[in-house]
Amino acid sequence: MSTLVEDNPAKHRFEILVDDALAGFTAYLTRGEVLVFTHTEVHPEFQGKGVGGVLIRGALDQVRARGGTVVPQCRFMAAFIDKHPEYADLVAVQP
């Protein structure tokens, strides 16, 4: 199973392709350098296979490479960051 996580700025989301098929996405709103992640969805045929985790990891790695931060309003992303504290530094400090 080959995977690719790509930003699709036109749709305001990161998408994951599994063997060239769209398997899911995590949607965001842009607030300057901050991405507010609002929803993550993995298509039913790809659920339970770790695709969601690969998607979130890929999105967060790309945000880090750009020097950005995130607000994980999406429960799935928030739970991922809680379980993977190496990404906690990407969470934007909110006043």
Side-chain angles (χ1 to χ4, degrees):
M1 174 170 84
S2 69
T3 60
L4 175 66
V5 176
E6 296 182 306
D7 188 8
N8 184 339
K11 292 188 175 182
H12 303 283
R13 66 189 197 178
F14 284 86
E15 299 172 339
I16 185 163
L17 302 174
V18 175
D19 298 330
D20 297 321
L22 180 63
F25 64 88
T26 186
Y28 61 82
L29 303 171
T30 304
R31 302 288 180 256
E33 294 299 313
V34 178
L35 296 184
V36 180
F37 283 89
T38 58
H39 178 71
T40 300
E41 188 173 310
V42 175
H43 299 308
E45 61 269 26
F46 296 101
Q47 291 177 1
K49 299 178 181 179
V51 171
V54 173
L55 168 60
I56 298 299
R57 186 178 302 278
L60 292 173
D61 287 345
Q62 290 181 49
V63 170
R64 178 175 306 221
R66 298 176 193 166
T69 56
V70 303
V71 174
Q73 287 183 351
C74 166
R75 289 183 291 165
F76 186 81
M77 179 173 278
F80 182 91
I81 292 171
D82 284 345
K83 291 178 186 172
H84 299 89
E86 65 271 23
Y87 290 104
D89 63 307
L90 291 177
V91 177
V93 177
Q94 298 185 31

